[in-house]
Amino acid sequence: MAHVELNKQNFFHNLDICSKQANGKDKIAIVLKDNAYGHGLIEIATMAKEYGLTNAIVQNIEEAHKIEKYFKHILILADTKKESLSHSFHITINTIEDIALLAENTNIHIKVDTGMHRSGIAPDELQSTINKAIEYKLNILGIFTHFKSADIMGSEYFTQKTIFKGVIKEACEICAKLNLPKFKVHSCNSSALFRETNFNEDLARVGIALYGYIENQSPLFIPNLKPVLSLHSLKISSRILKKGQSVGYGGNFTANKDMEISTYDIGYGDGFKRLPKNITYATPTNENILGNISMDNISIDSIKNDICLFDDVKKLAQLHNTISYEILTSINPTIKRIIV
Ligand SMILES: *Cc1c(COP(=O)(O)O)cnc(C)c1O
């Protein structure tokens, strides 16, 4: 059966590099949204706990429940519920209206929109957001922002940093005035973490780097990370494709000599997307994919029993004209994950 292999040694290597950059593993909040970037939520949570991480980040409450026993703190990026939630759950306030959707005593982090304009309160809504959160008896534990272009050279990143600095200063003043405990501050994703020379926030929200990739443009620093995931599939059958015969839907590949080829048990239904027209792709061991990829099958110029389709997604991402994140999160969650 097609399966995903997760390389624990590589994952721990990436954890070492990121923890060092963040000045401690307690500063790393591992981002586990979208099935841990396609790697497998429970498998990655298990290994992250074993490594000693205590902070995780997910998109919704359902995901948080699945990993509740693995982490001390779980930040939920976009979900609300007017019910008493586990004390380890921290809900993001993406707009002032979110506050009234939560039960008393819910832990919250306030997200501030410093320029991405996707979610978060405006900087000038900070005082009113804090007032309303207090009125609704919520526990404000953190304040954060998200960069739109931490991976790109240019001034945008610094503009957002400056705005966030101002927000933090104001938040500190409000905390002092109202006698509130200090909020945890965080702004960095993977790209931003590795742009810092002296990281001094309370948390870094690290996703893609822990899985072994970073999209930073040169000349930005690129750490030595190692891909964690490889995708494998097994042979269903072999056959001789005679000179002049073609294979698969549309007959897009035609043999120019007799060749022995095989059909393997993976396809776009499993998340291994059809290649763009006229693009050829060879596996890491240099076997060509022949013709169109089917929903559950793929034809390859090989007779091997099992084939690794990729162990580093960068090349595929490039061929698909997209980013590593998109290829990884497309992998079907029902494919078996094996930790090696
Ligand atoms: C997904 C996400 C991250 C992680 O980003 P990476 O580039 O994968 O490190 C951090 N913060 C927020 C708010 C996110 O949505």
Side-chain angles (χ1 to χ4, degrees), residues 31 33 37 77 111 118 146 189-190 205-208 325:
V31 183
K33 64 194 182 196
Y37 289 42
L77 289 172
K111 186 173 187 185
R118 186 177 66 173
H146 192 49
N189 64 351
S190 299
R205 303 184 307 271
V206 189
I208 200 75
Y325 302 71

Side-chain angles (χ1 to χ4, degrees), residues 149-154 191 195 214-222:
S149 45
D151 53 339
I152 298 169
M153 282 293 284
S191 292
R195 288 182 78 159
I214 202 150
E215 299 274 339
N216 284 0
Q217 264 184 0
S218 94
L220 294 174
F221 172 65
I222 310 256

Side-chain angles (χ1 to χ4, degrees), residues 233-239 247-248 260-266 290 294 296-305 307:
S233 78
L234 292 190
K235 184 164 86 175
I236 298 172
S237 63
S238 294
R239 72 202 58 252
V247 63
E260 196 170 13
I261 67 167
S262 304
T263 305
Y264 292 84
D265 66 347
I266 200 161
L290 308 173
S294 303
D296 295 304
N297 297 151
I298 196 167
S299 298
I300 299 181
D301 184 6
S302 172
I303 51 165
K304 282 201 315 208
N305 261 331
I307 274 216

